[in-house]
Amino acid sequence: MRRYGFVGAGELTAAVVTGLSRAVADPPEIFLSPRGRGSALAARYPNVRVCDSNQGVLEHATTVVLAVRPPIGRTVVSELSWRPEHVVISALAGVRLALLREWAAPAGHVVRVIPLPQAAVGKSRTAVYPDHAAARAVFEQVGDVVVPAEEASLEVFSAATATFAAHLDYLATIAGWMTEHGVDANTADAYVTHIFGQLGESLSKHADLAALTGRHMTPGGINEQLMTDLRDDGVPDVVRRALDRILARLNG
């Protein structure tokens, strides 16, 4: 019988639990922490149950996903009574395996993961380290899995996910510029959302970003002009420096 526990019931847990539960003929049993999104998820999916405490999650499941905020991770994990048969799957950004093993002793296995919000629709590409059958059993149900070569590389994957809000802000800037030039705000938002949504469809079918970039511009055309202007203004270097700072924080 598949039983999964989640300590922490915020947005990330909601995405994974939704992906495991919606439109699934034989969903796993899922046990959630008593706070956060747990009650709403339990009301929506009959395979989901909210426990009276975090410890209750551990009593019902041996595969346990940690999805609490990293600053409170040590307090939450250390207060729980783990058993050797537990597999701890941590989504705590920047918290290394060595620390997790110390906090969750005597749990038998500790794995780190970086799930994506697209888990809710079965399209996450979850970074997992080290590779482990229990982690695959969870996250291959909500998308696919990528295994970095070493733990240090996992932090690079994590840093890359820090770009979501900045990317959306870039799109909002484009829509705002359209509005400043007389386009209705709702129309501008809908247009920008549409064209970049379609671009996302192209991205899902082509892994070579340099080749895809070339396909979306004509020599001497307006796409090339904008890209050149941004490069001349140092935008790529700004992005690299910001990512370096994120990576330093994760490694700190």
Side-chain angles (χ1 to χ4, degrees), residues 186-198:
N186 290 333
T187 302
D189 279 355
Y191 184 71
V192 171
T193 299
H194 173 77
I195 60 175
F196 281 93
Q198 294 302 308

PDB file of all heavy atoms in Angstrom, residues 186-198:
ATOM      1  N   ASN A 186      -5.948  44.969 -19.491  1.00  0.00           N
ATOM      2  CA  ASN A 186      -6.353  43.567 -19.564  1.00  0.00           C
ATOM      3  C   ASN A 186      -5.969  42.939 -20.899  1.00  0.00           C
ATOM      4  O   ASN A 186      -5.540  41.779 -20.956  1.00  0.00           O
ATOM      5  CB  ASN A 186      -7.863  43.435 -19.343  1.00  0.00           C
ATOM      6  CG  ASN A 186      -8.267  43.747 -17.916  1.00  0.00           C
ATOM      7  OD1 ASN A 186      -7.478  43.577 -16.982  1.00  0.00           O
ATOM      8  ND2 ASN A 186      -9.499  44.215 -17.741  1.00  0.00           N
ATOM      9  N   THR A 187      -6.116  43.713 -21.957  1.00  0.00           N
ATOM     10  CA  THR A 187      -5.738  43.220 -23.279  1.00  0.00           C
ATOM     11  C   THR A 187      -4.234  42.975 -23.357  1.00  0.00           C
ATOM     12  O   THR A 187      -3.781  41.965 -23.909  1.00  0.00           O
ATOM     13  CB  THR A 187      -6.168  44.215 -24.367  1.00  0.00           C
ATOM     14  OG1 THR A 187      -7.585  44.414 -24.293  1.00  0.00           O
ATOM     15  CG2 THR A 187      -5.788  43.713 -25.757  1.00  0.00           C
ATOM     16  N   ALA A 188      -3.459  43.898 -22.785  1.00  0.00           N
ATOM     17  CA  ALA A 188      -2.001  43.744 -22.790  1.00  0.00           C
ATOM     18  C   ALA A 188      -1.582  42.507 -22.014  1.00  0.00           C
ATOM     19  O   ALA A 188      -0.740  41.717 -22.473  1.00  0.00           O
ATOM     20  CB  ALA A 188      -1.348  44.995 -22.205  1.00  0.00           C
ATOM     21  N   ASP A 189      -2.151  42.327 -20.824  1.00  0.00           N
ATOM     22  CA  ASP A 189      -1.825  41.139 -20.016  1.00  0.00           C
ATOM     23  C   ASP A 189      -2.164  39.858 -20.774  1.00  0.00           C
ATOM     24  O   ASP A 189      -1.382  38.905 -20.809  1.00  0.00           O
ATOM     25  CB  ASP A 189      -2.585  41.164 -18.692  1.00  0.00           C
ATOM     26  CG  ASP A 189      -1.932  42.046 -17.651  1.00  0.00           C
ATOM     27  OD1 ASP A 189      -0.819  42.573 -17.918  1.00  0.00           O
ATOM     28  OD2 ASP A 189      -2.510  42.209 -16.560  1.00  0.00           O
ATOM     29  N   ALA A 190      -3.359  39.843 -21.386  1.00  0.00           N
ATOM     30  CA  ALA A 190      -3.793  38.645 -22.108  1.00  0.00           C
ATOM     31  C   ALA A 190      -2.891  38.361 -23.300  1.00  0.00           C
ATOM     32  O   ALA A 190      -2.564  37.195 -23.586  1.00  0.00           O
ATOM     33  CB  ALA A 190      -5.247  38.808 -22.564  1.00  0.00           C
ATOM     34  N   TYR A 191      -2.467  39.395 -23.987  1.00  0.00           N
ATOM     35  CA  TYR A 191      -1.620  39.215 -25.166  1.00  0.00           C
ATOM     36  C   TYR A 191      -0.245  38.679 -24.775  1.00  0.00           C
ATOM     37  O   TYR A 191       0.255  37.709 -25.366  1.00  0.00           O
ATOM     38  CB  TYR A 191      -1.478  40.540 -25.922  1.00  0.00           C
ATOM     39  CG  TYR A 191      -0.693  40.403 -27.208  1.00  0.00           C
ATOM     40  CD1 TYR A 191      -1.234  39.744 -28.308  1.00  0.00           C
ATOM     41  CD2 TYR A 191       0.588  40.935 -27.313  1.00  0.00           C
ATOM     42  CE1 TYR A 191      -0.515  39.615 -29.487  1.00  0.00           C
ATOM     43  CE2 TYR A 191       1.318  40.812 -28.489  1.00  0.00           C
ATOM     44  CZ  TYR A 191       0.764  40.149 -29.571  1.00  0.00           C
ATOM     45  OH  TYR A 191       1.481  40.018 -30.735  1.00  0.00           O
ATOM     46  N   VAL A 192       0.374  39.307 -23.767  1.00  0.00           N
ATOM     47  CA  VAL A 192       1.705  38.870 -23.332  1.00  0.00           C
ATOM     48  C   VAL A 192       1.639  37.453 -22.777  1.00  0.00           C
ATOM     49  O   VAL A 192       2.501  36.603 -23.053  1.00  0.00           O
ATOM     50  CB  VAL A 192       2.287  39.849 -22.296  1.00  0.00           C
ATOM     51  CG1 VAL A 192       3.568  39.299 -21.681  1.00  0.00           C
ATOM     52  CG2 VAL A 192       2.572  41.201 -22.952  1.00  0.00           C
ATOM     53  N   THR A 193       0.596  37.161 -21.997  1.00  0.00           N
ATOM     54  CA  THR A 193       0.423  35.812 -21.469  1.00  0.00           C
ATOM     55  C   THR A 193       0.302  34.797 -22.595  1.00  0.00           C
ATOM     56  O   THR A 193       0.892  33.708 -22.551  1.00  0.00           O
ATOM     57  CB  THR A 193      -0.826  35.752 -20.574  1.00  0.00           C
ATOM     58  OG1 THR A 193      -0.671  36.650 -19.476  1.00  0.00           O
ATOM     59  CG2 THR A 193      -1.034  34.350 -20.030  1.00  0.00           C
ATOM     60  N   HIS A 194      -0.446  35.166 -23.629  1.00  0.00           N
ATOM     61  CA  HIS A 194      -0.644  34.242 -24.750  1.00  0.00           C
ATOM     62  C   HIS A 194       0.656  33.979 -25.496  1.00  0.00           C
ATOM     63  O   HIS A 194       1.018  32.809 -25.734  1.00  0.00           O
ATOM     64  CB  HIS A 194      -1.682  34.799 -25.729  1.00  0.00           C
ATOM     65  CG  HIS A 194      -1.808  33.984 -26.977  1.00  0.00           C
ATOM     66  ND1 HIS A 194      -2.492  32.788 -27.022  1.00  0.00           N
ATOM     67  CD2 HIS A 194      -1.296  34.183 -28.232  1.00  0.00           C
ATOM     68  CE1 HIS A 194      -2.418  32.289 -28.232  1.00  0.00           C
ATOM     69  NE2 HIS A 194      -1.703  33.100 -28.993  1.00  0.00           N
ATOM     70  N   ILE A 195       1.378  35.032 -25.876  1.00  0.00           N
ATOM     71  CA  ILE A 195       2.548  34.815 -26.727  1.00  0.00           C
ATOM     72  C   ILE A 195       3.647  34.066 -25.973  1.00  0.00           C
ATOM     73  O   ILE A 195       4.334  33.203 -26.550  1.00  0.00           O
ATOM     74  CB  ILE A 195       3.088  36.124 -27.352  1.00  0.00           C
ATOM     75  CG1 ILE A 195       3.521  37.132 -26.273  1.00  0.00           C
ATOM     76  CG2 ILE A 195       2.052  36.734 -28.281  1.00  0.00           C
ATOM     77  CD1 ILE A 195       4.170  38.390 -26.869  1.00  0.00           C
ATOM     78  N   PHE A 196       3.795  34.335 -24.689  1.00  0.00           N
ATOM     79  CA  PHE A 196       4.824  33.614 -23.949  1.00  0.00           C
ATOM     80  C   PHE A 196       4.344  32.228 -23.524  1.00  0.00           C
ATOM     81  O   PHE A 196       5.164  31.321 -23.328  1.00  0.00           O
ATOM     82  CB  PHE A 196       5.311  34.438 -22.761  1.00  0.00           C
ATOM     83  CG  PHE A 196       6.288  35.507 -23.167  1.00  0.00           C
ATOM     84  CD1 PHE A 196       5.856  36.788 -23.454  1.00  0.00           C
ATOM     85  CD2 PHE A 196       7.632  35.208 -23.306  1.00  0.00           C
ATOM     86  CE1 PHE A 196       6.752  37.767 -23.861  1.00  0.00           C
ATOM     87  CE2 PHE A 196       8.539  36.181 -23.721  1.00  0.00           C
ATOM     88  CZ  PHE A 196       8.099  37.461 -23.994  1.00  0.00           C
ATOM     89  N   GLY A 197       3.031  32.060 -23.392  1.00  0.00           N
ATOM     90  CA  GLY A 197       2.507  30.720 -23.175  1.00  0.00           C
ATOM     91  C   GLY A 197       2.786  29.828 -24.381  1.00  0.00           C
ATOM     92  O   GLY A 197       3.182  28.658 -24.237  1.00  0.00           O
ATOM     93  N   GLN A 198       2.609  30.375 -25.575  1.00  0.00           N
ATOM     94  CA  GLN A 198       2.909  29.626 -26.793  1.00  0.00           C
ATOM     95  C   GLN A 198       4.404  29.357 -26.913  1.00  0.00           C
ATOM     96  O   GLN A 198       4.826  28.290 -27.374  1.00  0.00           O
ATOM     97  CB  GLN A 198       2.402  30.391 -28.018  1.00  0.00           C
ATOM     98  CG  GLN A 198       0.887  30.512 -28.098  1.00  0.00           C
ATOM     99  CD  GLN A 198       0.212  29.153 -28.120  1.00  0.00           C
ATOM    100  OE1 GLN A 198       0.552  28.290 -28.914  1.00  0.00           O
ATOM    101  NE2 GLN A 198      -0.740  28.960 -27.214  1.00  0.00           N
TER     102      GLN A 198
END
